Amino acid sequence: MDGKGLAERVRAEVKEEVAALGRPVGLATVLVGDDQASAIYVRRKREACAEVGIESFHHELGAGTSEEELLGLVADLNADERVTGILVQLPLPGQIDEDRVIQAIDPVKDVDGFHPSNAGLLFQGQPTLVAATPSGIMAILAAYDVPLQGARALVIGRSNIVGKPIALLLLAEHATVTIAHSRTRGLDALAREADVLVAAVGRADTVTKDMVKPGATVIDVGINRVDGKLAGDVSPAVEEVAGLMTPVPGGVGPMTIASLLRNTVKAARYQSGALAFPGA
Ligand code: NAD
């Protein structure tokens, strides 16, 4: 499944929407510390913003930044009308409580969809700003017309960022969803029953060829470094049995960024009053 190609089309759509909006759209990105991978992700997000006409306001803070300093910046960004979306790149250094920071972001600017208001509204079946990776996965499944109603879906991983929200989105599309995690027993047998399998673990070769039902749709969220090379959570040989599968790189990653751009435009609409925000 070509996430890269699909993401290009979504970016083109977003570019038109931004131009038609008639008001500036701005994404604030906040990077704390010197995590290499985080720096790369933030750079890609800012490049994507530039491509579609979203202004980006970037803030880089040192690894020793206190929670109060970061909360102060978030308060400033909440109040800044030019900033229609706020993204604080995770993970944060150990001295900062991530939950407090996430909760400090104005829910209508929460383009990551991690604020409890947005996560709770998703739980209640009223999706607002939904986390970008799961949104991107749903867009890939829709683009390939993957049947979800009544399908058996297995989500491996239960993080707030990927596992839990993708499980809720699949459930909303009437899939029969199972969530597996590090303490799940009999993962292989669960996997073999899945029509749709989402792996969001962070460990290469978590899903091997013998675990996949022939013809199943396999979504590989994982980003792992193996001998200096990028690898997903799914063994490449799974391609021989899967009906459809996302590659790493070029699958979920580009669609995550495209969905972030979509969320940033949606957030601007909430703030202009063009869209009603159910959580307000
Ligand atoms: P996380 O570490 O928060 O969660 C990992 C989950 O995997 C946990 O719920 C854990 O219970 C489960 N797990 C661990 N070992 C397991 C095992 N042996 N069997 C079954 N389950 C197991 O990670 P996350 O933030 O959800 O990210 C998961 C992966 O997805 C990482 O590789 C991350 O880099 C990647 N990711 C990619 C994108 C993207 O845009 N492509 C976005 C977010 C995360």
Side-chain angles (χ1 to χ4, degrees), residues 133 156-159 162 181-182 200-203 221-224 252-253 256:
T133 301
I156 315 178
R158 57 174 164 184
S159 71
V162 190
H181 47 79
S182 54
V201 174
R203 195 188 67 164
V221 185
I223 302 175
N224 308 294
V252 173
T256 293

